Amino acid sequence: MMAEAHPHGPVIIILGAPGAGKGTQAKHIAQVLDIPTISTGAIFRQNMADETELGRRAREYMDAGEFVPDTVTNPMITVRLGAPDTRRGYLLDGYPRTLDQAHYLRDFLAKSNSEVDLVIEIVTDEDEVVERLLNRAQQEGRSDDTEPIIRHRMRVYHDQTEPMATYYADQDKLVQVDGMGTVDDVWQRIVEVLVEYHLYTPDNS
Ligand code: AP5
C-alpha cells in the first residue's frame, strides 16, 4: 500500500544528463527553499555502502550504468516520500527517470490531491560532462564513473529520460537551464527560475 504524501510546499524535479550538476545544484535549491532533496542515486549508494539487501540488488545495475528496475525503485521512493520531512515539499534528484516512473509519481501525488509543480532540466554538452565525471572519478572513485560506463549512462539518458522531459514540457512544467559555465553561473540561472515561479525571493539586503 502506498504511503500518503501531503506536501504543503513545492514538489520540484531536477533533471539532466549524468554529470549535468543535478546533485550540486540540488543542494543549493534545497537550502534556499528549506526542503529536503531526495536523490534515488544517493539512496542506492548509501544502501550499497551499508551492504543492505536493497544495495545488493541495485549494485549490478548501477555498476553497469543501467537503471535499477521499477520493482525496486518505486517501492523505495514510496517509502521515502511518506516520511514526515516531505510535508514541506521536496526536490527530487534522479527520480523520475522514465515515463513509467513519471506516471507512478503522478498517481502517488494524486492520492493527496497534489502534483509536480516545476521540472528544472539542466542542459549540458556531452563532452564537458564526461570530463567532469572523469575528474570526479579521480576524487571520489564512484564505480560507475569509468568512461565506457559514463557513455552508456548518457545513451540510457537520451533513450529513456529525455522522452520523459517532453511529457513535462507538454504540461508546461519544464524549464530548461543552461548548465554550462561555473557552478555559480548555473546557480544564478536557477535562482531566476525560482523567482519567476514565485518559489524564492532573494535577500538582497
Ligand atoms: P545518479 O546518482 O542520479 O547519477 P547520474 O544521473 O548519473 O548523475 P551524477 O550524480 O553522475 O551527476 P549529477 O548530474 O548529479 O552531477 P553532480 O552535481 O554530481 O544515478 C546513478 C545510478 O543510480 C543510475 O545510473 C541508476 O543505475 C541508478 N538510479 C538512480 N535513480 C534511478 C531511478 N529513478 N531509476 C532507476 N535507477 C536509478 O556533478 C558531477 C561532477 O561535476 C561533480 O564532481 C561536480 O563537482 C562537478 N560539477 C558540477 N557542476 C559543475 C560545473 N558547473 N562546472 C564544473 N564542474 C561541475
Side-chain angles (χ1 to χ4, degrees):
M1 197 176 75
M2 282 186 173
E4 283 198 17
H6 297 280
H8 298 303
V11 175
I12 305 175
I13 296 170
I14 189 158
L15 262 185
K22 301 183 292 297
T24 303
Q25 299 298 336
K27 281 192 200 119
H28 292 300
I29 299 171
Q31 191 184 2
V32 300
L33 300 187
D34 191 27
I35 55 174
T37 297
I38 298 172
S39 159
T40 37
I43 298 173
F44 286 135
R45 278 187 291 280
Q46 187 61 52
N47 275 274
M48 281 159 59
D50 294 345
E51 299 184 346
T52 66
E53 174 61 18
L54 177 69
R56 194 191 59 71
R57 293 175 73 186
R59 180 183 292 281
E60 62 176 302
Y61 297 98
M62 291 182 71
D63 284 355
E66 299 287 348
F67 289 164
V68 179
D70 285 356
T71 49
V72 176
T73 307
N74 286 339
M76 179 186 84
I77 202 80
T78 303
V79 169
R80 180 62 187 89
L81 295 185
D85 66 345
T86 59
R87 302 255 168 94
R88 56 184 200 269
Y90 45 85
L91 173 65
L92 289 166
D93 164 11
Y95 188 93
R97 264 179 142 90
T98 64
L99 209 44
D100 281 351
Q101 290 184 359
H103 291 156
Y104 185 88
L105 178 66
R106 176 199 60 199
D107 295 347
F108 174 80
L109 290 170
K111 289 184 189 250
S112 56
N113 293 319
S114 185
E115 60 180 75
V116 170
D117 293 294
L118 174 65
V119 181
I120 300 173
E121 182 184 11
I122 305 181
V123 181
T124 41
D125 170 77
E126 178 158 333
D127 287 333
E128 157 77 17
V129 293
V130 171
E131 209 46 52
R132 286 182 194 174
L133 293 181
L134 291 174
N135 284 337
R136 184 175 67 185
Q138 288 179 349
Q139 291 154 16
E140 296 178 19
R142 227 172 92 168
S143 54
D144 56 350
D145 277 348
T146 63
E147 183 152 3
I149 299 295
I150 293 168
R151 297 271 179 202
H152 184 68
R153 283 158 60 202
M154 296 290 171
R155 279 197 295 280
V156 173
Y157 178 78
H158 293 312
D159 290 349
Q160 300 200 46
T161 307
E162 279 180 349
M164 189 196 71
T166 308
Y167 167 79
Y168 288 115
D170 289 346
Q171 298 172 45
D172 284 332
K173 291 183 173 175
L174 184 81
V175 177
Q176 292 186 316
V177 170
D178 178 4
M180 303 304 287
T182 66
V183 170
D184 198 50
D185 291 337
V186 181
W187 170 236
Q188 292 312 321
R189 293 173 198 136
I190 291 176
V191 167
E192 284 174 22
V193 174
L194 298 178
V195 170
E196 188 188 328
Y197 277 75
H198 306 289
L199 293 167
Y200 176 55
T201 308
D203 179 5
N204 293 319
S205 59

